[in-house]
Amino acid sequence: MKKYEGIIFDLDGVICHTDHYHYLAWKQLADRLGIYFDEQINNRLRGVSRMESLKIILENSKVIYTDSEKSKFAQEKNQDYRQLLVQMSPADLSAEVKDTLNALRKIGCKLAIGSSSKNAPYILERIGLKNYFDAVADGNQIEYSKPNPQVFLLAAQQLNLAPESCLVVEDASTGIEAAVRGGFDAAGLGDARTCAAAKYHLTEFVELKEAVMGNDN
Ligand code: BG6
Ligand code: MG
């Protein structure tokens, strides 16, 4: 017996790993502007929208920029980021993730993406999952990004399911917060594994099967 009708996955850091590309592209911009930026600051950008990410980076800037300059910086970063994404391929989808997704689908779960990223459709295409999910809610369709629950509520709506019958899988604490605020159970992976608000604390993606089949851990 499965515990959830739908599973909503964050994309970056859960289905595939784009964090380092985000880091490289932001680092390039930060270096050009003479702003200190490191991997630790990059960790704070997980799940946060592009403009919110820029705001965090500019906390270390001595210069105050106008909105139009900020929007140019975000565009510049995104161009560099997209160039890095070109090298992604179906090889960036691990066998563990692929097999687990297929197993969840086999037991009748509907599968969706709930990502803050406006690049989500492109990333899904790169890794060979363009038409795989039953629903894709992403940064292009929302006004408020995580920790606001909007993207997960939209994904559940697209699946035609209530939040209570869906599980959200996240690697960011902002994403876990968004899930809980939206009325979803949440499973934390990676950085979010130790989040107290998560119902399941996963070390490996494959452990999701047990969580969905009813063994709490
Ligand atoms: C999230 C990432 O998935 O997408 C964040 O975790 C990123 O780090 C956000 O800022 C927005 O991404 P994009 O691709 O729209 O710039
Ligand atoms: Mg993530």
Side-chain angles (χ1 to χ4, degrees):
M1 255 291 283
K2 62 182 189 295
K3 285 173 80 179
Y4 301 96
E5 295 299 318
I7 321 287
I8 304 173
F9 298 89
D10 171 50
L11 179 62
D12 294 328
V14 170
I15 298 292
C16 62
H17 297 279
T18 49
D19 313 40
H20 192 60
Y21 298 142
H22 276 296
Y23 170 74
L24 292 175
W26 282 126
K27 177 78 178 147
Q28 198 155 318
L29 177 74
D31 285 353
R32 184 174 81 66
L33 299 175
I35 298 170
Y36 181 77
F37 180 65
D38 61 16
E39 297 265 11
Q40 221 173 333
I41 303 173
N42 192 57
N43 281 343
R44 288 176 58 204
L45 313 183
R46 268 180 230 278
V48 168
S49 74
R50 194 179 307 163
M51 289 314 284
E52 283 292 321
S53 299
L54 179 63
K55 206 165 139 189
I56 292 171
I57 289 164
L58 293 181
E59 285 172 7
N60 284 320
S61 168
K62 291 181 185 73
V63 182
I64 308 282
Y65 293 102
T66 63
D67 285 351
S68 120
E69 283 169 321
K70 286 184 204 166
S71 120
K72 280 196 194 113
F73 294 158
Q75 263 175 43
E76 180 183 326
K77 180 266 172 177
N78 194 50
Q79 269 171 17
D80 292 339
Y81 178 57
R82 295 274 297 205
Q83 264 169 27
L84 292 164
L85 292 180
V86 169
Q87 64 197 284
M88 289 191 90
S89 74
D92 288 286
L93 179 68
S94 73
E96 181 190 6
V97 170
K98 204 173 171 179
D99 293 349
T100 305
L101 290 173
N102 287 335
L104 291 170
R105 171 158 283 163
K106 215 170 162 188
I107 59 168
C109 291
K110 287 187 185 172
L111 308 178
I113 291 290
S115 166
S116 304
S117 173
K118 294 186 172 174
N119 292 298
Y122 181 61
I123 296 168
L124 289 171
E125 186 184 331
R126 296 299 317 162
I127 62 176
L129 291 182
K130 191 179 170 198
N131 296 312
Y132 183 85
F133 289 93
D134 300 299
V136 175
D138 64 42
N140 301 293
Q141 304 160 48
I142 54 166
E143 197 176 339
Y144 307 106
S145 84
K146 303 166 191 173
N148 188 292
Q150 193 182 11
V151 80
F152 294 137
L153 291 171
L154 185 63
Q157 197 184 15
Q158 288 175 5
L159 291 179
N160 214 7
L161 292 173
E164 307 82 67
S165 54
C166 297
L167 176 69
V168 165
V169 188
E170 258 293 345
D171 73 314
S173 53
T174 46
I176 300 285
E177 189 186 331
V180 171
R181 275 168 60 178
F184 298 87
D185 280 353
L189 252 177
D191 272 14
R193 189 179 65 85
T194 51
C195 266
K199 181 161 182 174
Y200 308 98
H201 306 272
L202 311 178
T203 308
E204 307 288 346
F205 192 92
V206 69
E207 292 168 17
L208 199 52
K209 274 194 286 187
E210 270 183 51
V212 173
M213 293 304 283
N215 301 330
D216 287 9
N217 57 351

